[in-house]
Amino acid sequence: DVRANNFRAELSVAFERITTLERVLARRGQIELTEIEEYEPDDEEGAERAMEREGLIARVFQVLEIIGSEAKR
């Protein structure tokens, strides 16, 4: 399905950009890559992340349900 392929492409680009940002900051000496791996959000940030994650998961499953229902037609 075109939408699924577009979603995969967008997600791939997002991950590439995140990795690029991490490496640029590390090369500039602004962060150590281990800081990212070892980072632990505080309770407030953790709650915000959980809400964002749940929203993203819900949107992804909504699209998958639409694709699945259209495929059955």
Side-chain angles (χ1 to χ4, degrees):
D1 183 89
V2 172
R3 286 175 293 197
N5 287 334
N6 287 343
F7 177 73
R8 282 191 292 269
E10 287 183 38
L11 190 57
S12 177
V13 168
F15 283 125
E16 288 174 7
R17 291 181 63 89
I18 291 167
T19 302
T20 298
L21 179 58
E22 292 172 352
R23 291 180 182 176
V24 167
L25 291 172
R27 285 181 187 155
R28 290 182 180 174
Q30 294 174 312
I31 63 165
E32 295 288 330
L33 291 178
T34 55
E35 289 179 81
I36 294 168
E37 299 300 324
E38 296 170 358
Y39 181 78
E40 292 188 32
D42 61 24
D43 290 343
E44 183 178 341
E45 184 180 351
E48 289 174 11
R49 287 180 174 202
M51 285 182 14
E52 291 172 5
R53 183 173 42 254
E54 291 303 316
L56 175 62
I57 290 168
R59 290 189 301 277
V60 167
F61 277 107
Q62 184 179 32
V63 170
L64 292 175
E65 287 175 8
I66 291 168
I67 292 169
S69 67
E70 290 177 355
K72 292 178 184 177
R73 292 183 194 167

